Amino acid sequence: MSVPVTLPRELALQYQTPGGAWITAARCDVGSVLRTRRLALPPGRQVTARRWRIVRLHADPDQPVDLDAAVVRLTRIAMWRETDELSPWRRWGFDFDVGEQRYGLVATDGNVEVYQRGLRVASIPSPYSASQVTSVRRAQMLDTLLAFHPDVPPYRFARQGAHSEWDSRPQAFENIPLFDYDGTRTGGVSEVQQLSFTDFNAGETFNLTLEGQTTGSIAYDGSMATLGASVAAALNGLDNVGANGVAVSSPSANTLRVAYQGKNRNEDVGELVAQVLISTKGIVRTATVVQGKEGGEPVISATRGWPASGVFFDSRLWLAAPRSRPQTIMASRSGFFFDLNIKGGEADKGISVDLATDQSTRIMNLFAGRHLQVFSQSAEFFCASQPITPPPAFPRTSSVGLQPGTPLLEMEGGTLFIQAGGDTVSHYIYEDAAQSYVVTPLSSYAPHLTRGIVGGGFRRHRSTSEPNLALWIRADGTASAMSAILSQDVLGFVPWTTDGAFVEAGGELAGDLYVGARRAAGGVESHRLEVLDDAHMLDASVRVAGPVSAISGLQHLEGRTVALYVDGADAGDAVVTGGQVVLPYAAERWAEAGLLFVPRGRLLPVLLNQDPRGGASMKARVGEVALRLGPTGNLRLGMTGKKLWPVPLKRRGGIGDQAALLDHGPGEDAFTGWTRVYPIPGFQDDAQIDWEQPRPGPLEIREVVVTVQS
């Protein structure tokens, strides 16, 4: 019997407890296909073990698969022990479709954890160290993701049919272009070509053409030594051969051999073309005896470094910025992603070009948009050709540059990127009128909110009622949320903070936006992967369905004071003990526990046009503020720097279902409509208003009308 292609969950990693029991820590598939598998405990779980073992366990004990004499071989086993030190990490998006095959790959030191719709499903071995993780660039095609770093060979992470089946290994390339780094043409082979003469008489003539240049008339001579000297003189007179560029010998009668040397040594030279000028029957045949091979080294190797970035575009795999040639762009043959052969005259051969600039500029990243885009440390380029054939041109469009380590994100047909310096969010978009790309800064009106950006993620709008949302991570652990629908001139930036620090953000295709946070619990810091959920009212929260009297799963907030939100109402605070909190009363529908955060806002100051004849006593003062609200609870408002007053959120009277003896509550029944605060206590010169929501609840401010008095 042969081993089936796949035996799901048949391989298990077990550890032995101090009491002697064997506990299964993780399981994976095995089979006849060569695979790389990692068996690991979930992140953050610690165990005390006497021994570890790898065993085969039947996925279905009632129907075990009998392999008879077949053999499953483990060719290499390695074990890692994680330390207490937090590794830098990045979330890699892996979107195979918009359904269930959307994954978040969390890359840490030597490891990648796979999450499918928020659920951990697998671990993958990775070659990237903690210092390299934050610099890895990626390219995905269907179920294969390629990762790039200038110090590590390109690595392939491949999904193999199921959510939990993943393989990883170095990606091999064929026909890598060569470059003569030191000028010695090491490893090259000089070409030797042959001329054979038939039915030639003395004095009859011919000429030779090499790569577009043609010799003068050469007279045939029966003496091969004399004829060889004439051929050598004629070829050495060509500009593309030069003095002493060939040596000509005669191995046999009527035969000459041309050995290239000088400027054409160790090169692949075009084959000579012979043309008979004056002869009644003479024939000259040409042939290549020794194929020339240029000297040099592969442009990507362990010695010269590996590509720093890559992308799939126009049926090719594009690679850029090997460590020793930071301005070089390479592409595979069309339709053959791992063949880099640049030889031949076909339009589908590989490509190797350098950016044509007047300054040294390292390529930072490639992006597949409307055109292939190139972002360097000091400028932006694109290739207008479609399809792209060799040799392509990459004209420079602007001289802004990309901030290292920051992502490129697609929005509304353009590319979001962070300019060099890390302080400006820009949009790189094609203008048909100019037939080129232009850079439009988006953060010009909020520069104080976009300083020191080190990362970011993006969620496309999922309906016409919501904008695109980008979350830009800053070096100080805060974030700036950008809401935008540029086609409708909607653009805004809002500062975000969290208890701890933001460290990462990333979105799914037509899905959720995830954030990474560094938080402390019980005096121990940890990294958390969290999802932005509009239905949650609290930070780092856990929400459970009712009926329920306690909320568990709060180990990440152990010992912390958390707010409670039960059945759509603020239920006070509690302290997390043993990973859970007990509710003050049972929840019938749902309950949530998490960290309280206080949304705050400030209106622009209202200034009066003063009559210079009125003196300096004319001061602006807010007398009334009217608000049109969506579902809102627990809102306060007042003059800037003064006490904030509760906003009335009551509805009296009404007709039919709207009639009520009691005030409408929070949550699903929260107040909606117009309300006002009058009068506004306090006095300010600039008539500026602050608002805040000190306790959890829904919040939607649709319109504010301020009445100003002098």
Side-chain angles (χ1 to χ4, degrees), residues 200-224:
F200 256 94
N201 297 317
E204 295 180 334
T205 59
F206 63 96
N207 63 20
L208 299 172
T209 299
L210 176 66
E211 297 178 348
Q213 295 196 30
T214 303
T215 67
S217 175
I218 303 172
Y220 179 80
D221 193 293
S223 168
M224 290 296 102

Side-chain angles (χ1 to χ4, degrees), residues 536-538 565 596-601 631-637 644 649 666-667 670 690-701:
H536 284 228
M537 299 295 174
L538 300 166
Y565 199 68
L596 177 67
F597 63 95
V598 180
R600 294 185 173 90
T632 299
N634 304 320
L635 183 63
R636 293 183 178 183
L637 179 146
L644 303 185
L649 300 175
D690 285 355
W691 60 263
E692 71 175 20
Q693 187 184 49
R695 295 300 299 178
L699 175 63
E700 184 177 333
I701 301 176

